[in-house]
Amino acid sequence: MAAQTHLFKCLTDNYGVLVHDPVTGATAAIDAPEAWAVDAALQATGWQLTDILVTHHHGDHVGGIVELKERHGCRVTAPAHERQPIPAVDATVTGGNTVTVGRLVAQVIDTPGHTAGHITYVFPDDKLAFVGDTLFSIGCGRVIECAPEIMWDSLLRLRELPDDTLIFCGHEYTQANIRFALTIEPDNPTLKARAAEADRQVAAGQPTIPTTLGEEKRANPFLRADVPAVAAAVKMTGKPAVQVFAEVRERKNRF
Ligand SMILES: [Zn+2]
């Protein structure tokens, strides 16, 4: 039986998500923005929390860990390179490691850039990727702790996943990201369709995620820094993709 997911909003614009193995009953929270919201999601689903899989150390991703661990006795898995600021860690992982949630197996991919030790959890059998604040729908995370080259490499690593991989990210930023992306590729048909879809979803009170990697590859300017039209849009035709990426990211910072 396939993994089940349950997505929920928390804090101001964060997403929490539960991943559930219906065979064993094991359930992981991907990050723990705040304990009460995770508990409400557990109540809504009837699932029992066995694991917390942490993507990175920012407070809006780890704030609920201590309370949830006290209440549920769950195992906390965190990125090896960010063990220090993350509370109550039981196990650390890095790229190439695997994590099991019941019978589900997640592969860990190193995706530094937003933070220096940021990791992504991919469940290949179910084609689910939990990318934290590395990739957003039509956007990417701010490059805070690393050089742009590092972030671009991380995005290239994610871009190698199958196109039908469902991408779960840490925030609802899609409409703002689309407004920016349209300044880079105003005539991109996938992007224009995504803009209409996101408007409809938000008006209906629905989340705009998960998205798929295939759609992101066609519409997300941060995954398209090596596409000639994107380089041309920032007047960098012929320049290395990593420089185009850095320029697009810089423009988004100022947008
Ligand atoms: Zn973050």
Side-chain angles (χ1 to χ4, degrees), residues 2-252:
Q4 295 172 277
T5 58
H6 179 78
L7 179 74
F8 53 97
K9 279 203 168 168
C10 40
L11 297 173
T12 313
D13 51 29
N14 279 75
Y15 278 120
V17 57
L18 301 177
V19 186
H20 177 68
D21 174 14
V23 176
T24 63
T27 302
I30 309 297
D31 292 329
E34 53 184 346
W36 78 265
V38 176
D39 274 328
L42 291 166
Q43 209 136 51
T45 53
W47 299 343
Q48 289 199 327
L49 191 68
T50 55
D51 289 87
I52 299 173
L53 307 183
V54 182
T55 62
H56 68 294
H57 69 80
H58 284 161
D60 61 327
H61 293 254
V62 304
I65 290 176
V66 170
E67 210 177 317
L68 288 167
K69 188 169 173 179
E70 267 173 28
R71 199 145 48 232
H72 301 282
C74 51
R75 179 183 64 161
V76 178
T77 300
H81 300 301
E82 298 186 356
R83 188 196 171 104
Q84 207 40 258
I86 300 173
V89 173
D90 295 300
T92 59
V93 289
T94 187
N97 291 157
T98 56
V99 185
T100 56
V101 178
R103 183 208 43 127
L104 309 175
V105 179
Q107 289 175 352
V108 177
I109 301 179
D110 283 325
T111 49
H114 177 68
T115 64
H118 194 299
I119 58 175
T120 287
Y121 297 92
V122 177
F123 292 74
D125 290 350
D126 293 287
K127 295 189 177 170
L128 305 172
F130 299 94
V131 300
D133 288 355
T134 297
L135 179 65
F136 294 124
S137 181
I138 317 296
C140 76
R142 276 180 185 272
V143 184
I144 299 172
E145 296 181 9
C146 295
E149 291 85 338
I150 304 288
M151 184 64 146
W152 174 240
D153 279 349
S154 293
L155 294 174
L156 288 180
R157 228 166 281 140
L158 292 178
R159 209 172 66 171
E160 287 168 14
L161 294 170
D163 278 1
D164 55 350
T165 303
L166 288 177
I167 305 289
F168 288 84
C169 55
H171 292 271
E172 179 59 66
Y173 291 158
T174 307
Q175 282 182 307
N177 287 339
I178 288 170
R179 280 195 291 278
F180 171 74
L182 283 168
T183 69
I184 304 290
E185 287 192 285
D187 300 321
N188 180 320
T190 307
L191 181 58
K192 289 199 283 191
R194 183 79 177 109
E197 185 192 20
D199 288 348
R200 182 188 56 73
Q201 288 169 320
V202 171
Q206 295 166 351
T208 65
I209 71 158
T211 176
T212 65
L213 184 67
E215 183 160 284
E216 293 304 313
K217 280 162 67 174
R218 290 194 301 276
N220 185 331
F222 297 100
L223 291 180
R224 295 168 57 78
D226 50 358
V227 171
V230 172
V234 296
K235 300 189 167 45
M236 293 182 74
T237 295
K239 290 276 172 21
V242 62
Q243 287 179 23
V244 175
F245 168 76
E247 173 62 20
V248 175
R249 184 58 253 184
E250 191 50 41
R251 288 184 183 210
K252 175 67 166 66

